Amino acid sequence: ETGVTQSPTHLIKTRGQQVTLRCSSQSGHNTVSWYQQALGQGPQFIFQYYREEENGRGNFPPRFSGLQFPNYSSELNVNALELDDSALYLCASSRPGVTGSDSTDTQYFGPGTRLTVL
Amino acid sequence: EDKVVQSPLSLVVHEGDTVTLNCSYEVTNFRSLLWYKQEKKAPTFLFMLTSSGIEKKSGRLSSILDKKELSSILNITATQTGDSAIYLCAALQGGSEKLVFGKGTKLTVNP
């Protein structure tokens, strides 16, 4: 158990709808990263939030947006859902700091949200 | 373009065998190499490697980074059925702090 929690566990939506996924970071972690993992692929970086600000973004369109709250929990919002958005959405928390420090650079993952778009 | 390549993509062995999983990376502003084990959903952290040539061990698992060759290996000795999983390799990119993942190696250990 990493202490990172995500909700909901599973979600089924139809094309064009909007979805909000939630993540609570591990205690003491101030950074949350979101990843999309399609079937048979490795996770792809969506974006990262550090102290409530976006701190880097991958190759995802603007309809993927996020928030981080003062308690460092985070939301991922996806608008205008497409069939290809069906995937496992993972969040990971970390506390970036000293380079090469296992206790700070390592990202710990939550159990994920399985999103199915019909 | 940043990329991480893992090989083999799939591996089937018998209990007791030793396996070596490979990972190569081309990532700008490389900081560290991480290995994760993914059984159902959440990738579970195994190792983080930052320095070249220093082996990290945890029980039957060990891993080493070669920064000259831009590669890493994960070794599992005396495999057990519980080792069956997808093993993900990821390069941590400094600045953006993002992980660039490979596609993973699916390991199946048969009794």
Side-chain angles (χ1 to χ4, degrees):
Chain A
E1 292 293 327
T2 63
V4 180
T5 61
Q6 290 187 244
S7 63
T9 305
H10 296 91
L11 204 51
I12 299 174
K13 292 284 188 178
T14 55
R15 234 174 359 171
Q17 285 189 309
Q18 178 264 343
V19 68
T20 297
L21 311 182
R22 295 177 176 83
C23 171
S24 291
S25 60
Q26 187 177 111
S27 177
H29 286 183
N30 57 15
T31 301
V32 172
S33 305
W34 286 92
Y35 294 83
Q36 180 195 67
Q37 187 175 22
L39 205 59
Q41 302 294 316
Q44 296 291 312
F45 177 75
I46 303 175
F47 44 56
Q48 182 182 86
Y49 279 84
Y50 171 67
R51 293 184 176 177
E52 302 179 57
E53 297 284 334
E54 188 176 288
N55 183 45
R57 188 179 183 94
N59 294 327
F60 282 81
R63 58 189 185 84
F64 285 78
S65 63
L67 282 174
Q68 187 178 34
F69 301 99
N71 66 354
Y72 304 127
S73 66
S74 177
E75 284 183 357
L76 164 65
N77 298 292
V78 187
N79 293 321
L81 283 167
E82 300 177 0
L83 297 180
D84 284 349
D85 295 333
S86 294
L88 179 66
Y89 287 85
L90 295 162
C91 84
S93 76
S94 58
R95 185 171 60 88
V98 176
T99 299
S101 168
D102 286 13
S103 67
T104 56
D105 276 353
T106 300
Q107 295 184 18
Y108 295 94
F109 284 85
T113 294
R114 173 78 62 191
L115 173 65
T116 302
V117 182
L118 302 175
Chain B
E1 184 185 340
D2 298 322
K3 64 179 179 180
V4 172
V5 178
Q6 293 186 243
S7 65
L9 292 180
S10 181
L11 192 54
V12 181
V13 300
H14 291 290
E15 265 192 318
D17 288 350
T18 294
V19 298
T20 298
L21 310 183
N22 301 288
C23 174
S24 64
Y25 62 90
E26 289 180 35
V27 170
T28 54
N29 201 14
F30 171 83
R31 179 183 286 183
S32 304
L33 193 290
L34 291 87
W35 286 94
Y36 290 87
K37 177 182 181 182
Q38 188 174 30
E39 292 179 86
K40 290 181 181 176
K41 281 190 173 181
T44 304
F45 172 72
L46 295 174
F47 298 110
M48 187 173 89
L49 306 158
T50 304
S51 300
S52 201
I54 299 175
E55 185 182 51
K56 289 207 172 180
K57 292 194 74 171
S58 177
R60 296 175 294 101
L61 278 67
S62 63
S63 184
I64 195 163
L65 176 67
D66 185 338
K67 285 177 137 176
K68 188 176 177 183
E69 296 295 325
L70 305 183
S71 65
S72 174
I73 60 171
L74 174 68
N75 284 315
I76 308 175
T77 59
T79 52
Q80 302 171 356
T81 55
D83 295 327
S84 296
I86 295 172
Y87 290 83
L88 295 165
C89 167
L92 177 64
Q93 187 175 54
S96 69
E97 306 296 331
K98 78 176 186 183
L99 288 171
V100 180
F101 281 88
K103 288 187 175 182
T105 293
K106 183 177 181 181
L107 174 65
T108 303
V109 181
N110 291 322

